[in-house]
Amino acid sequence: MLLTVKNLHAQVADEIDKPILKGLNLDIKPGEVHAIMGPNGAGKSTLSSVLAGREDYEITDGTVEFSGDDLLALSPEERARKGVFLAFQYPVEIPGVSNKLFMQTAVNAIREENGLPALDMFDFDRYAQSKIDLLKMPKDLLDRSVNVGFSGGEKKRNDIFQMALLEPKLCILDETDSGLDIDAMKVVANGVNSLRSPDRSFIVVTHYQRLLDYIKPDFVHVLFDGKIIQSGGFELVHALEEKGYDDMIQAHQQLQHNQK
Amino acid sequence: MSSIIPRKMSPAARQFLDKIMALSDALNERMAVKALIEKRQAAKQQLLTMGLPTRKDEDWQYTSIQSLLQQAFSLKHVQEPIELTTAQIQTFLPNFDTIRLVFVDGFFSEQLSGGFDFIPDGLSIEMADADAIQTINLSEKADAFQWMNELMLDQGVTIELDARVSVEAPLHILYIQTQTAEVLSPRLQVRLGQSSQLQLLQQYVCLTEEVTTWVNGISHITVGENAQCKQLVLQQLSQNSFYFNHQHFVQAAASHIETSYIALGALLSRHQSVATQQGDAAETDQDSIVLGRGQQVMDTRTLTQHQALHGHSRQLHKLVLADEARGVFNGMIEVAKGAQKTDGQMDTKSLLLSPKAKVDAKPQLEIYADDVKCSHGCAAGQIDEDQIFYAQARGIRRSDAMQLITQAFLLEPLDKWQTQPEMQAWLTKLIVQKL
Ligand SMILES: Nc1ncnc2c1ncn2[C@@H]1O[C@H](COP(=O)(O)OP(=O)(O)OP(=O)(O)O)[C@@H](O)[C@H]1O
Ligand SMILES: [Mg+2]
C-alpha cells in the first residue's frame, strides 16, 4: 500500500468543536488513480492540505501511513521530499522569486533526499526545457516570478509543470481542472497521463466529469461531511452527473440515522 | 543670538554637546583657517540655541539618539594616518573598475586609491580644500546633526564635472574607519554641468566589527540641465556604530537623478535625502534597502520638492527587520504652487521577521498645485505563511523558503541595475551575506 488513511479526524487548529474530517478512510496502492468528488465544503481541500502537512489543521484522531512512514509526524518539506505532491486549488504567488530559482531549489531538495547530486543551472535548464515542451508551457515561464501575473489557468498549469519536474510518488490534484479552458484541460490531462506509471499514484479532486474522461480513474469516492460515503468505479461519475449528490447524501443520512 | 533663549537639554545631551564643542575648539587650533573657524563658531552658537533633538520633536518621534549620547568621541586622535594595505581593504572593494578615492579615518590615502586613468578631461576632484568645503551654506531648516557636521568640519571632497562630459567608471568614495570612538564629518560637494553624466558610490565601512565609529556627513549635489546622476550610498558600518547623513540634490531642468541607499550596519542610522526640482521636467528616483537585526534603529527619510512643471518622481523603499530592530521611514512629497503636471509616487514596504521587530512609516504629501498626480503606498507585514507552505510543499526547507522569499522582497530595488550586472551581483552578494 502506498497510502493508508485510517479513521482520520481533523479540525481547524484553534477552533475546537468544529470538526471537518470525521473519520475518513482511504487506501491507495502504487499506480492507482483515485478521484474524489463531493459538494462544496465537504472537506476535500482539507484532506489534501492535511496530507501535504498544512499546519492550520489539527489531527484529533486517526493515522496516515505513506510508504511505511507515519506521514503525520513529518514536516511538509519532508513529505514533499518523500514524494507527496499537492497541486493547490489556489496556487500561491511569490513576487520576486523566479520560477527557475524556485524549482531548481525544489528539484535539488528532492534530489538530495534521493542521494543524487544537485543539478547546476545548466543541467536544470535542460531538464526543465524538456518538461516545458511536454506541457506546452510558455517559453518564458522560468524567468517569471512564481505565479505572479499568471492567469488562473496558467497557475494551475504551472503546478502541473512543477509536478512533472519533481516526479512525485503521490500526486494530489485539488481541483486543478476548475477554471481551465478545454485546451488547458487537455494539457493538464496529458500531463497527468504522461506521468502515470506503476509506482506513481494520484488523488484527483474534482467537481467535473470532463477531466476524469481524459484521465480514467480506477476508483471514484464521494466525500461528504468529512467522510467518504460511497466508493466505486468510473460509473459513479456518470451517476453523479445525472442525479447529483442529493440521493446519495439522503441515503447516507438515513443509514446513519438507522445506526443510531 | 542673545535674545533667543537656549533650549533646555538633558544632562546627557548637554554633556555630549560640551564634549564635541571641546573637540571643535581643539580643531580651531589645529586647523586655523579663518573662514572655517567662523563657521564652526557659528555652528556652536546655533547648537547651543537649538539643542539636540529629543523624541518630543516631531521629526525625531520614532528615533531616539540616547545610544549616541552615551558615547564619548574623539576627533583625529591619530595624528598620522594608519597605513593599510590594499589586501586589507580588498573585501570592501567591488570587482569592477571604479575611480577610487579611499579615506582612512578621514585621511585621504593615495596608496589605496586608484583608477585615476578613468578620470576623463573635464572631471576635477579636489580634496580637503578648505575653501571648497566651506562653500556649502546650511539652510535655516538644518537640523542639529548638520550643525554638528559644521562644528567639526575639517575635510571635504569637491567634484566638478564639465558640461557634456560622461564619466564611464563609477566614482567610488570609500570611507574606512579603523579607530574606535572617532567621529568623521565628511562633506561632499558635487557639481554636474549641463548634459553631463556621473555615477557616484559612497561607501562607509569599519575595518572590523570591533570598531565603533560615528559618521556624520553632508553631501550637496547640483545637477545641471539635462544632466544625469546615479548615486548609491552603501552604509556598512559595524553594528555598534552611528551613522547620520544629509544629502541634498538640486536639480535643473530635464535633469535626472537616481539615488539609492543601502543600510546594513550601524546601531543607529539616519539617512536623509532631499531632492529639489528647480527646473521643469526633472526626474527623481529614490530607493532604499534597509536590513536591520538585533537592536538596530534604522531611519530613512526622503523629501522630494517639486517646484517646476512636469516633474516626475518615483520611490521604492524596502525594509526587512528581524529580532528587535526598528525601522523608521519618513517620506514627504511637496508640490509647490505652480508645479503643475507633477507625477510623484512613493512606496514603502516592510517585512517584519520577528514579533518584536517594528516599523514606523510616515508617507506625506503636501500639494499646492491642482493638476498633479501623486500617490503613496505603505505596507508592513509578516512573511506570508501561504508562500512558505507552498515552497515547503515542493520540498524546500522552511528556513530556505524564508530566505528565498525575504531575499526576493528585499532585493527588488536592485532590479534597476540590470544594465550593470557586475554592480547588481556585487550589491546582491553584500546584502545576501547579511541575511
Ligand atoms: N482554515 C480554515 N478555517 C476555517 N474554516 C475552514 C478552514 N479550512 C476549511 N474550513 C471549513 O471546512 C469545511 C471544508 O472546507 P474544504 O475547503 O475542505 O471544502 P472542499 O470540499 O474543498 O470545498 P470546495 O469544493 O468548495 O473546494 C468548510 O466548511 C470550510 O469553511
Ligand atoms: Mg476545495
Side-chain angles (χ1 to χ4, degrees):
Chain A
M1 206 60 76
L2 179 70
L3 182 78
T4 312
V5 180
K6 273 203 191 116
N7 191 33
L8 187 63
H9 285 72
Q11 63 185 37
V12 177
D14 36 38
E15 284 182 46
I16 319 162
D17 302 333
K18 202 191 156 212
I20 302 174
L21 300 182
K22 305 172 182 174
L24 190 139
N25 295 293
L26 186 63
D27 287 327
I28 298 181
K29 292 202 189 77
E32 288 177 353
V33 177
H34 292 242
I36 296 184
M37 306 184 80
N40 294 133
K44 303 180 297 298
S45 292
T46 304
L47 173 64
S48 308
S49 296
V50 163
L51 293 178
R54 190 185 272 277
E55 270 150 26
D56 302 5
Y57 300 100
E58 188 186 327
I59 311 305
T60 50
D61 204 0
T63 57
V64 180
E65 212 177 273
F66 177 72
S67 296
D69 285 313
D70 173 5
L71 191 71
L72 299 177
L74 303 177
S75 68
E77 58 263 44
E78 286 169 325
R79 298 181 198 199
R81 283 162 184 245
K82 287 189 186 295
V84 176
F85 181 92
L86 169 63
F88 285 55
Q89 182 168 2
Y90 305 106
V92 180
E93 299 184 5
I94 311 183
V97 177
S98 72
N99 263 307
K100 187 186 278 179
L101 178 62
F102 186 70
M103 285 318 293
Q104 194 188 351
T105 311
V107 165
N108 283 335
I110 285 169
R111 288 178 68 89
E112 182 188 79
E113 177 76 21
N114 297 330
L116 296 168
L119 293 184
D120 63 21
M121 215 151 67
F122 198 70
D123 289 338
F124 175 77
D125 257 2
R126 202 165 20 193
Y127 176 55
Q129 216 54 52
S130 65
K131 305 288 183 180
I132 285 181
D133 296 342
L134 177 78
L135 291 170
K136 301 194 179 70
M137 301 297 289
K139 293 277 175 219
D140 67 346
L141 174 78
L142 286 176
D143 298 319
R144 293 168 64 177
S145 288
V146 178
N147 293 326
V148 177
F150 285 31
S151 73
E154 283 171 339
K155 286 181 184 172
K156 300 292 183 91
R157 275 163 57 194
N158 193 27
D159 258 24
I160 297 302
F161 167 67
Q162 295 179 359
M163 182 170 92
L165 280 173
L166 297 178
E167 301 186 326
K169 282 195 206 135
L170 175 64
C171 307
I172 306 165
L173 277 61
D174 188 3
E175 291 197 32
T176 300
D177 54 340
S178 42
L180 293 187
D181 64 35
I182 295 167
D183 291 336
M185 175 98 72
K186 280 185 196 158
V187 169
V188 167
N190 285 339
V192 171
N193 287 336
S194 67
L195 281 171
R196 277 181 91 153
S197 86
D199 48 13
R200 179 169 299 129
S201 311
F202 293 82
I203 297 175
V204 180
V205 174
T206 182
H207 287 293
Y208 307 106
Q209 182 181 342
R210 181 160 239 133
L211 179 69
L212 300 179
D213 282 340
Y214 289 115
I215 295 183
K216 299 271 172 342
D218 303 305
F219 300 93
V220 177
H221 309 277
V222 175
L223 205 161
F224 171 71
D225 193 24
K227 280 193 286 281
I228 286 173
I229 57 166
Q230 191 154 359
S231 297
F234 197 58
E235 74 285 349
L236 203 54
V237 182
H238 295 292
L240 286 172
E241 198 85 357
E242 268 169 40
K243 296 189 204 136
Y245 292 111
D246 280 359
D247 289 358
M248 208 177 282
I249 289 169
Q250 264 165 28
H252 167 72
Q253 281 165 341
Q254 190 62 45
L255 192 72
Q256 280 209 317
H257 186 76
N258 293 346
Q259 277 171 350
K260 276 180 193 162
Chain B
M1 267 309 151
S2 54
S3 61
I4 301 166
I5 303 158
R7 175 171 176 166
K8 253 195 143 138
M9 274 184 271
S10 70
R14 183 72 230 200
Q15 217 175 45
F16 182 84
L17 207 49
D18 283 347
K19 275 192 228 155
I20 63 164
M21 283 176 176
L23 296 179
S24 175
D25 292 342
L27 192 60
N28 282 339
E29 279 170 32
R30 249 185 314 169
M31 255 183 99
V33 181
K34 188 165 166 278
L36 280 182
I37 292 176
E38 277 168 13
K39 284 224 158 201
R40 295 189 197 118
Q41 298 287 16
K44 200 170 174 177
Q45 285 311 314
Q46 191 71 34
L47 281 163
L48 283 171
T49 312
M50 76 192 305
L52 295 179
T54 71
R55 293 187 57 181
K56 291 194 187 106
D57 296 291
E58 204 193 330
D59 278 345
W60 297 85
Q61 198 181 352
Y62 303 114
T63 308
S64 160
I65 63 165
Q66 283 306 317
S67 54
L68 176 74
L69 299 184
Q70 284 158 18
Q71 310 285 320
F73 291 96
S74 57
L75 181 60
K76 291 263 167 70
H77 81 264
V78 280
Q79 300 291 317
E80 289 288 302
I82 300 289
E83 295 271 328
L84 293 180
T85 62
T86 312
Q88 276 175 290
I89 67 162
Q90 202 60 48
T91 78
F92 305 119
L93 302 180
N95 57 353
F96 46 86
D97 289 334
T98 61
I99 302 165
R100 186 171 73 238
L101 310 179
V102 181
F103 290 84
V104 180
D105 300 313
F107 295 101
F108 176 65
S109 166
E110 190 149 4
Q111 182 211 341
L112 298 177
S113 301
F116 298 143
D117 291 348
F118 301 112
I119 300 179
D121 286 344
L123 172 64
S124 86
I125 302 169
E126 277 185 79
M127 258 147 318
D129 182 315
D131 291 331
I133 6 178
Q134 47 101 1
T135 56
I136 300 177
N137 286 314
L138 297 190
S139 85
E140 298 140 43
K141 286 191 197 144
D143 66 11
F145 283 85
Q146 287 171 264
W147 287 113
M148 284 192 273
N149 172 283
E150 185 127 312
L151 183 72
M152 292 178 280
L153 188 57
D154 67 339
Q155 56 133 334
V157 179
T158 299
I159 294 159
E160 300 225 31
L161 187 57
D162 289 351
R164 288 171 297 280
V165 178
S166 287
V167 187
E168 293 294 323
L171 176 56
H172 180 191
I173 308 179
L174 172 60
Y175 296 94
I176 302 179
Q177 296 296 91
T178 74
Q179 301 296 310
T180 279
E182 272 278 315
V183 53
L184 178 75
S185 311
R187 272 229 181 161
L188 176 66
Q189 186 160 232
V190 184
R191 285 188 218 105
L192 269 73
Q194 215 181 69
S195 303
S196 64
Q197 287 184 25
L198 180 70
Q199 221 177 90
L200 195 60
L201 166 58
Q202 290 155 261
Q203 189 181 8
Y204 302 89
V205 304
C206 293
L207 187 62
T208 67
E209 267 303 307
E210 279 66 52
V211 173
T212 297
T213 192
W214 173 25
V215 172
N216 184 30
I218 293 183
S219 307
H220 198 267
I221 302 164
T222 44
V223 188
E225 239 177 79
N226 202 34
Q228 289 183 29
C229 183
K230 194 166 179 175
Q231 181 231 22
L232 169 67
V233 176
L234 203 48
Q235 190 271 100
Q236 299 168 277
L237 296 176
S238 72
Q239 300 291 312
N240 288 318
S241 290
F242 301 88
Y243 168 90
F244 290 79
N245 206 352
H246 187 279
Q247 61 180 38
H248 191 175
F249 290 88
V250 179
Q251 296 187 248
S255 65
H256 184 184
I257 66 145
E258 289 175 66
T259 169
S260 310
Y261 172 54
I262 298 180
L264 303 174
L267 181 63
L268 170 61
S269 58
R270 179 162 160 127
H271 184 80
Q272 164 88 66
S273 181
V274 182
T276 309
Q277 296 187 349
Q278 291 182 341
D280 292 346
E283 266 186 78
T284 306
D285 293 326
Q286 299 168 89
D287 59 69
S288 62
I289 291 177
V290 172
L291 175 59
R293 57 178 72 247
Q295 313 257 23
Q296 284 179 290
V297 177
M298 311 181 91
D299 187 345
T300 313
R301 321 175 80 77
T302 63
L303 168 60
T304 313
Q305 299 178 308
H306 290 278
Q307 298 180 349
L309 294 173
H310 290 283
H312 190 274
S313 65
R314 287 289 175 270
Q315 299 185 48
L316 177 62
H317 304 279
K318 289 272 183 125
L319 298 90
V320 167
L321 301 162
D323 306 327
E324 294 172 35
R326 281 188 73 121
V328 181
F329 175 80
N330 187 302
M332 163 70 92
I333 300 176
E334 282 177 7
V335 182
K337 206 171 161 207
Q340 302 296 13
K341 306 284 181 199
T342 290
D343 179 350
Q345 195 180 307
M346 173 164 64
D347 271 301
T348 310
K349 291 178 189 156
S350 306
L351 186 59
L352 303 172
L353 296 183
S354 108
K356 285 190 173 161
K358 200 170 173 246
V359 65
D360 291 291
K362 196 167 158 193
Q364 301 171 82
L365 300 175
E366 232 177 68
I367 300 175
Y368 297 103
D370 49 21
D371 186 12
V372 302
K373 205 168 76 191
C374 280
S375 68
H376 61 70
C378 183
Q382 257 107 32
I383 211 159
D384 184 347
E385 279 298 326
D386 285 342
Q387 293 179 348
I388 294 195
F389 179 65
Y390 191 65
Q392 284 179 297
R394 302 298 176 250
I396 300 172
R397 279 195 194 89
R398 190 180 168 84
S399 55
D400 293 342
M402 303 250 309
Q403 165 95 25
L404 209 60
I405 293 162
T406 307
Q407 196 171 312
F409 173 86
L410 189 58
L411 297 183
E412 190 188 342
L414 294 188
D415 286 351
K416 69 175 212 190
W417 297 99
Q418 253 156 21
T419 51
Q420 285 170 263
E422 284 173 321
M423 175 74 92
Q424 193 179 29
W426 181 57
L427 297 176
T428 301
K429 198 182 87 193
L430 291 180
I431 298 166
V432 169
Q433 272 170 359
K434 284 273 178 180
L435 264 174

